[in-house]
Amino acid sequence: MYNNDERDAGSEYERLFYPYLFEKKTINTDEVMAQIRHSTLLKCREMADLRRATLEHTGSHIIVAAREMAYAFAHGATLLAFGNGGSSTDAQDLVCELLNPPFPGMAPLPALALTADSAIITALGNDVGFETVFARQIIAFGRKGDIALGISTSGNSANMLLAFEQAKKQGLLTVALTGYDGGKMAHSPGVDICIISPGDHIPRIQEAQATVYHALLELISLQLHMLGLAQKELAR
């Protein structure tokens, strides 16, 4: 149990992560709330600015990617998604929403997250090398006409560059979502379409990338609907 003095001083954890709370003997709650409010608004502005910059920088790439991906899905494609760290969870989120679409009337689309099976990842990483964990799965699962979509904040991940090169060899449509200046993926012959969120702060980049792939989902749904209408017209 803490005595009163220890409680006022805060725990070691609290002093480490929230030092500004203990700079004075008494805590000014209004001042702390003002700091939190300012920090929150600043992050929201940064997020909005990067989303706007992404649209201005590669908005046309998003439209092209959606069109090409919709065409591939209409012809039986499966999407293979991958990424490292936080981007691996974004890849899984994208796959989840393709299989369980968030938009009314959108049919589920075939997709597979290459980041989801820990046995495969650890076996390949241990036995062959971590740089192969996605490429080997593309060799096994990828078919000509499928889609390989990778998400990377840096655009420089070796295992993703190798995966894109392998996917290109097998005739897959390759789409990269990157941050900063696009990194090596922006210039890789293995990448057909590179959508860049030109920021330099990883949390903001990942938020912008989440916006990009949700926009892609919506555009793909619209494009597939239009293709379906066109096919019905041709069948008449």
Side-chain angles (χ1 to χ4, degrees), residues 8-223:
D8 291 340
S11 69
E12 182 179 353
Y13 172 87
E14 290 168 333
R15 291 195 302 274
L16 177 62
F17 286 96
Y18 308 103
Y20 60 88
L21 294 176
F22 308 100
E23 291 174 355
K24 302 175 183 178
K25 288 186 178 180
T26 59
I27 298 172
N28 185 322
T29 305
D30 290 339
E31 183 179 323
V32 171
M33 291 305 297
Q35 291 175 5
I36 293 172
R37 188 179 301 110
H38 173 75
S39 176
T40 302
L41 288 172
L42 181 61
K43 289 177 174 61
C44 288
R45 291 190 189 103
E46 290 173 349
M47 187 190 314
D49 288 344
L50 185 52
R51 285 171 169 167
R52 189 176 300 110
T54 301
L55 180 62
E56 292 172 354
H57 192 270
T58 49
S60 61
H61 291 63
I62 295 172
I63 294 170
V64 171
R67 184 182 67 232
E68 296 299 317
M69 291 168 71
Y71 181 85
F73 278 126
H75 289 79
T78 295
L79 183 140
L80 309 178
F82 49 96
N84 295 297
S87 298
S88 73
T89 62
D90 284 334
Q92 291 178 60
D93 181 44
L94 170 60
V95 167
C96 179
E97 298 208 337
L98 284 165
L99 297 174
N100 183 30
F103 307 116
M106 182 177 176
L109 295 169
L112 179 66
L114 304 186
T115 61
D117 194 323
S118 59
I120 292 174
I121 296 291
T122 53
L124 290 171
N126 183 66
D127 298 344
V128 187
F130 189 69
E131 70 277 5
T132 71
V133 295
F134 302 134
R136 282 293 188 99
Q137 293 186 75
I138 286 172
I139 291 171
F141 298 125
R143 298 292 180 267
K144 185 176 181 180
D146 283 345
I147 305 163
L149 189 147
I151 304 173
S152 169
T153 54
S154 70
N156 293 321
S157 301
N159 57 2
M160 296 183 65
L161 288 162
L162 186 61
F164 279 128
E165 291 170 9
Q166 184 60 46
K168 190 69 175 175
K169 289 178 185 176
Q170 294 177 216
L172 280 71
L173 170 68
T174 56
V175 181
L177 275 57
T178 68
Y180 296 92
D181 62 355
K184 294 178 181 178
M185 291 177 196
H187 308 287
S188 170
V191 175
D192 292 319
I193 304 168
C194 187
I195 299 170
I196 302 171
S197 296
D200 57 7
H201 187 39
I202 289 174
R204 301 294 86 79
I205 292 170
Q206 291 177 323
E207 289 157 358
Q209 289 176 328
T211 301
V212 167
Y213 67 73
H214 281 99
L216 282 172
L217 284 171
E218 195 161 359
L219 290 169
I220 288 167
S221 176
L222 177 61
Q223 188 72 23

